[in-house]
Amino acid sequence: MAKFLEFQGKEWLRKSGLPVPQGRVASTPEEAKKIAEEIGKAVAVKGQVQAGGRGKAGIVKLVNTPDEAAAAAAEIFAKNVMGVPIYQVLVEEKLDIKKEYYCSFVVNGAREARSPMLMFSTEGGMDIESVPEELLFKVNIDPINGLQVYDAVDVCARAGIPAQDISKFASFLSKLSQAYKKLDCQTLEINPFIMTGSGNLVCADCKMEIDNSSVGRHPEFGISIARDLPGAPTELDLIGWSIEETDARGTGFLMNMGYDEVSPGYIGYHPIGGGSAMMGLDALNQVGLKPANYADTSGNPVGSKIYRVAKCVLSQPNIDGYLLGGFMMANQEQWHHSHAIVKVLREVLPTQKPGMPCVLLLCGNREDESLEILREGLADLMTPDGPGKRIEIYGKEYVTDTKFIGQRLLALSKEYRAEKESQGK
């Protein structure tokens, strides 16, 4: 799912007519101070990162003055949450909290439902995970007509909202449901939304995740990649998305896996299919190697698409090898992979990565012809002194032997790195 940071989600809530605190995002302590001066009262300074538990992680701070806001922002920028750095803070007015509540709209995938679902509790805040099940009230929502007022009233009454406030809460939940549908959300969680001392309901926090398949309907979101990513898109992510977005013939998925381009032991990883991918990761993990990326060319893609993906995988600097991980008896015509891989390796190895290990495992439909295409197409590179001297080609006899494939790749990658180091590269 395409995930929004808190300040982004709150902006879309505001545009949908829902109440959010006054404030905006800052990228430096100086900006945080200026925003606090504009607000003119105590503020909350909140680190913006795709992770839960921000309060417990110490990246949400309440301060009274602009100078304190600047100091809090500087402290938050120096932190990270689960390894993710913080580049922005949301500076917003400190709310007069009378009571905290919880609500979320999610997809109920149960067979008897297959619909959106509202979850509501009068026990909101940091420890929502520990709220007893009997205090979390749920109602399935009609996917066409949305949350009906009578359902909103019912869930509020069951949760124990006082009679004089039920109309206010039902209206608030109905507006959230309309935003959930209009924005094509997969998840919309407000934890907490609060009642202020004056009795108003305000969205104090916001977790918003958009259905990837709907991103094309919302150019206003400015989402560059409709895909789940651990952080900001890298250049490889953007290239991979452009391949998949412009060619629907089979899968051509490509994603960065946190490759740092400096540490040894990273392998350009090119599996064929999701189950195959897991076995290939096992092959790498068993011998202490790491995937620089994740790629997938399954679903019978054409050779040109496989070529584009493989070329990107091999373009990564300082990788210690390349693994084509066909750990399954694929029902697609495998000679498309063979033709594409021959072309890529003939272009890359002689001039850019001579001697780099390439372990090619391919099996399934047209396997014999496909392996022959690889052997014949790469034969002149695979001589003892050739740029493809560390190419090894395997078929169905090794389809489940992850230990063997991993060990071969490890041995070859050690040779390759030692050779480069001896040459001062």
Side-chain angles (χ1 to χ4, degrees):
M1 292 153 306
K3 301 177 182 180
F4 289 165
L5 293 168
E6 177 192 1
F7 79 92
Q8 296 168 323
K10 281 182 172 176
E11 179 61 17
W12 289 108
L13 291 181
R14 185 188 64 77
K15 291 178 179 178
S16 299
L18 285 149
V20 298
Q22 176 191 359
R24 54 192 176 88
V25 73
S27 300
T28 66
E30 292 74 25
E31 288 181 17
K33 178 178 179 179
K34 182 178 180 181
I35 295 167
E37 289 172 343
E38 293 170 359
I39 292 173
K41 55 182 178 180
V43 297
V45 183
K46 309 168 78 175
Q48 299 297 284
V49 66
Q50 297 286 7
R54 291 181 300 161
K56 293 180 179 179
I59 62 169
V60 175
K61 298 184 179 296
L62 302 177
V63 299
N64 295 312
T65 69
D67 286 334
E68 289 178 358
E75 184 178 342
I76 291 170
F77 285 136
K79 296 177 179 286
N80 66 71
V81 179
M82 294 174 13
V84 179
I86 300 165
Y87 298 111
Q88 295 172 303
V89 294
L90 175 60
V91 183
E92 61 182 19
E93 62 178 311
K94 180 182 176 182
L95 297 170
D96 175 20
I97 300 175
K98 180 179 179 182
K99 169 72 175 163
E100 294 183 336
Y101 303 87
Y102 168 88
C103 74
S104 68
F105 294 85
V106 297
V107 175
N108 184 351
R111 186 188 310 177
E112 66 275 11
R114 300 293 175 90
S115 69
M117 177 175 68
L118 165 64
M119 295 190 290
F120 174 74
S121 178
T122 57
E123 303 296 320
M126 284 197 298
D127 295 315
I128 186 63
E129 295 84 2
S130 62
V131 170
E133 184 71 20
E134 61 269 20
L135 296 181
L136 189 61
F137 298 87
K138 303 174 183 179
V139 59
N140 289 325
I141 301 171
D142 186 306
I144 303 299
N145 300 312
L147 180 68
Q148 300 299 300
V149 173
Y150 51 79
D151 283 329
V153 168
D154 177 68
V155 76
C156 290
R158 286 192 288 130
I161 298 298
Q164 67 269 22
D165 291 328
I166 282 183
S167 177
K168 180 193 304 182
F169 276 80
S171 175
F172 180 83
L173 294 175
S174 295
K175 283 186 178 180
L176 278 171
S177 175
Q178 292 164 15
Y180 175 82
K181 181 179 179 181
K182 182 180 74 173
L183 298 173
D184 285 306
C185 295
Q186 190 93 357
T187 300
L188 177 58
E189 179 182 84
I190 313 298
N191 181 39
F193 73 92
I194 63 105
M195 178 179 281
T196 66
S198 57
N200 296 321
L201 300 180
V202 181
C203 300
D205 201 351
C206 176
K207 175 183 177 182
M208 186 181 293
E209 299 176 346
I210 304 301
D211 184 351
N212 286 348
S213 61
S214 74
V215 168
R217 294 197 293 270
H218 295 283
E220 69 275 16
F221 290 160
I223 296 173
S224 56
I225 299 181
R227 178 180 292 162
D228 299 336
L229 297 171
T234 66
E235 182 180 2
L236 185 71
D237 294 324
L238 293 168
I239 293 171
W241 177 249
S242 72
I243 294 172
E244 192 65 14
E245 189 177 34
T246 56
D247 190 342
R249 297 172 294 178
T251 299
F253 190 93
L254 181 65
M255 185 175 75
N256 181 277
M257 292 283 284
Y259 172 46
D260 63 15
E261 300 185 12
V262 176
S263 302
Y266 279 97
I267 302 298
Y269 183 42
H270 183 175
I272 305 172
S276 171
M278 297 302 103
M279 294 182 70
L281 288 173
D282 283 344
L284 297 177
N285 289 334
Q286 286 179 68
V287 296
L289 296 172
K290 299 163 285 188
N293 64 280
Y294 174 83
D296 176 21
T297 47
S298 57
N300 212 30
V302 294
S304 61
K305 190 170 187 178
I306 299 166
Y307 167 83
R308 294 170 71 190
V309 171
K311 193 70 177 284
C312 289
V313 172
L314 284 157
S315 72
Q316 298 174 101
N318 205 35
I319 55 175
D320 286 345
Y322 167 74
L323 172 61
L324 180 68
F327 289 93
M328 64 177 182
M329 298 296 290
N331 62 5
Q332 61 189 19
E333 306 298 338
Q334 295 288 46
W335 51 22
H336 297 308
H337 275 83
S338 293
H339 286 302
I341 298 305
V342 167
K343 180 174 173 58
V344 170
L345 295 185
R346 295 193 68 86
E347 290 176 357
V348 172
L349 293 184
T351 58
Q352 300 171 37
K353 300 181 187 295
M356 189 184 74
C358 297
V359 175
L360 313 177
L361 173 63
L362 204 61
C363 52
N365 280 2
R366 303 289 184 182
E367 178 182 337
D368 291 342
E369 297 96 321
S370 301
L371 295 176
E372 190 61 25
I373 290 167
L374 288 174
R375 293 186 183 111
E376 288 189 1
L378 299 171
D380 60 318
L381 302 185
M382 295 170 63
T383 60
D385 296 319
K389 61 186 177 183
R390 295 189 181 92
I391 295 175
E392 294 188 359
I393 300 169
Y394 300 100
K396 58 180 174 290
E397 65 273 19
Y398 293 102
V399 67
T400 60
D401 198 344
T402 56
K403 183 178 180 180
F404 173 82
I405 296 296
Q407 288 175 340
R408 290 308 306 144
L409 197 52
L410 177 63
L412 294 171
S413 65
K414 285 182 176 178
E415 286 181 12
Y416 177 58
R417 179 160 285 276
E419 182 177 86
K420 287 201 302 180
E421 289 173 354
S422 69
Q423 298 171 354
K425 295 181 180 179

